[in-house]
Amino acid sequence: MLQLQINGEARELPSDSSVEQLVAALQLENKRFAIELNGEIVPRSRHAATRLNNGDKLEVVVAVGGG
């Protein structure tokens, strides 16, 4: 299992997880969001190819509409 920090909270994901798998675990499909991995934005085009490592720090921001 990978030990990650997501928005400041400890979380575990299976070993060999990608950013794409994180998106699925957080149920963010079809939502507007951005993911920062260790201080760098991960473009959507790189989600499947970007592997997560033990100790990674992620920030996930979800866009909220309003008026």
Side-chain angles (χ1 to χ4, degrees):
M1 294 297 279
L2 294 174
Q3 303 292 322
L4 306 170
Q5 287 287 320
I6 302 174
N7 293 349
E9 294 185 19
R11 182 154 181 154
E12 289 186 342
L13 283 180
S15 297
D16 198 38
S17 289
S18 66
V19 171
E20 183 176 64
Q21 290 162 313
L22 171 67
V23 168
L26 297 175
Q27 300 177 347
L28 294 175
E29 298 98 337
N30 302 318
K31 294 185 180 177
R32 295 178 50 148
F33 64 91
I35 295 183
E36 181 181 280
L37 172 61
N38 299 324
E40 298 287 328
I41 296 291
V42 180
R44 280 185 194 258
S45 62
R46 300 286 307 150
H47 284 185
T50 303
R51 296 282 166 214
L52 298 173
N53 297 300
N54 207 38
D56 279 345
K57 294 181 181 177
L58 298 108
E59 292 294 325
V60 180
V61 178
V62 179
V64 178

